[in-house]
Amino acid sequence: RGIFEEVAPDVWAHTQASKLLDSGLPYDELVQEPIRRFAKGTPVPAWISHTVEQGGMAAVSMVTAFREEKYKKSHEVSETPFNKIYETDVPFWQWLEQEGRVLNMTKGFELNNARNVSAPIPRIPGSNYPINVLPKFDFSYYPWKDLPKNPTIVDVGGGVGSAMALVLPLAREGTKAIVQDLSRPVLEHAKTFWAERDSTAVPEGRVVLQQHNFLQPQPVKGAAVYFMRFILHDWKDETCIEILKHLHDAADEESRLFIVEAIVGHACHDVGSLLDDGVEGAYPTPMPKPLPANGGRAAEFEAGFDMHMMNVLNGVERTYEQFRQIAAKAGWKPKKVYKTDELSSLKILEFVKM
């Protein structure tokens, strides 16, 4: 895929693409402290470490793990192929923190925001080669400026707040983002993240970094938006309902819930009564026959992501109907579905209180 180039028979050289893997640190430093390889440079090495090192090892463990009763019938986040091969009984996120892999955890997921219409596509310094590894998030499809005056957006489980770094430039003046995460090391890294991108955001209070466990009652009441991106796919249905109920209890009648996830499309062309739901954007135009409605191989991202989530956290990628059913049990009803790219399965599901 262009990572290296054969410049002569059996002679290989770096390319502009391989520069994405450069840590920007001297070799001696990397030998002494390998985890520091994520400290500088692009987020690509951290993302590869997550998908290949932890995710890949969990995939290797999958067959043997699911032969054991403990794993094959469990939906718990701490009883997964990942737990088996790494010989740990704590969930993946907690393991990362214990292992001092906060940079692995935060830097790599900055790639989720590598492309957005509101900002230039990140490129390798000194070249015109784009960082384009993950599917595109274009949050401009949502009319952020239509939110009420001086709105508060709560980024629930938001890590360093990388999603808010894309949303705030699209929002109206006076918008405040509260970035919540359970991990103190992540929130410490968030200070650096924001200092590098918008040095006045945190000091001026436009961005607030707040420690919070979303399995507990939500402390911010009556926010304009409760925003959750790539959170619910980590959890079984019952836990998702618990999380959403806490947000429902905190919300007022004008509050919105945004669930931002990869939505699994149906392969069949006839979805029948599902279309009666009447929510705009819920069901994209199917691909023409003889292709499957979801594009077949075009849906590999969702399928691969689903396997990855199962192996690491017993998580799952869901269809629109599955998200709607979960939300309904927590007191939310769908209002509209927004795309984040013309072809991407990554959607913004907007809900309001029943």
Side-chain angles (χ1 to χ4, degrees), residues 93-261:
W93 300 112
Q94 188 176 339
W95 176 86
L96 284 175
E97 189 169 327
Q98 288 180 353
E99 295 292 311
R101 292 176 175 266
V102 171
L103 282 171
N104 188 174
M105 176 168 33
T106 58
K107 188 81 173 181
F109 283 89
E110 291 174 21
L111 267 181
N112 289 340
N113 301 312
R115 299 186 62 196
N116 183 273
V117 76
S118 66
I121 298 174
R123 299 177 187 275
I124 306 170
S127 80
N128 196 40
Y129 195 90
I131 301 174
N132 182 20
V133 178
L134 294 183
K136 179 180 179 180
F137 265 120
D138 181 352
F139 288 126
S140 69
Y141 284 95
Y142 185 83
W144 299 96
K145 287 185 168 56
D146 290 349
L147 292 177
K149 186 178 180 180
N150 299 322
T152 294
I153 302 173
V154 181
D155 190 1
V156 182
V160 297
S162 53
M164 293 299 101
L166 299 180
V167 168
L168 287 180
L170 301 170
R172 64 191 301 170
E173 187 176 354
T175 300
K176 176 181 178 181
I178 300 177
V179 178
Q180 298 178 335
D181 203 89
L182 178 61
S183 170
R184 285 196 179 277
V186 168
L187 292 174
E188 283 299 312
H189 184 64
K191 296 176 182 177
T192 302
F193 174 88
W194 282 99
E196 292 174 348
R197 286 157 180 80
D198 186 346
S199 61
T200 63
V202 173
E204 292 179 354
R206 289 183 288 114
V207 173
V208 175
L209 306 176
Q210 183 180 79
Q211 186 179 31
H212 173 61
N213 181 353
F214 51 60
L215 298 176
Q216 300 298 322
Q218 171 59 238
V220 181
K221 310 298 182 183
V225 174
Y226 294 95
F227 181 99
M228 305 187 78
R229 185 185 61 163
F230 286 155
I231 299 297
L232 298 184
H233 74 166
D234 290 358
W235 302 93
K236 61 184 179 180
D237 288 1
E238 293 82 0
T239 305
C240 290
I241 294 167
E242 178 186 354
I243 294 168
L244 296 180
K245 280 183 176 178
H246 287 312
L247 299 182
H248 186 272
D249 291 343
D252 62 25
E253 295 307 312
E254 302 301 319
S255 298
R256 298 166 171 84
L257 167 68
F258 287 0
I259 297 175
V260 185
E261 297 270 359

Side-chain angles (χ1 to χ4, degrees), residues 274-334:
L274 293 180
L275 293 176
D276 295 338
D277 184 69
V279 175
E280 184 181 349
Y283 299 97
T285 303
M287 297 293 285
K289 294 180 179 179
L291 292 174
N294 63 3
R297 291 196 64 182
E300 284 182 350
F301 172 74
E302 298 86 68
F305 217 0
D306 189 43
M307 293 288 287
H308 175 75
M309 297 310 302
M310 177 185 69
N311 287 330
V312 175
L313 284 160
N314 268 328
V316 61
E317 303 303 318
R318 294 179 171 92
T319 64
Y320 163 74
E321 302 87 56
Q322 289 171 324
F323 278 114
R324 179 176 57 79
Q325 291 164 6
I326 289 171
K329 292 178 181 178
W332 297 96
K333 63 181 179 181

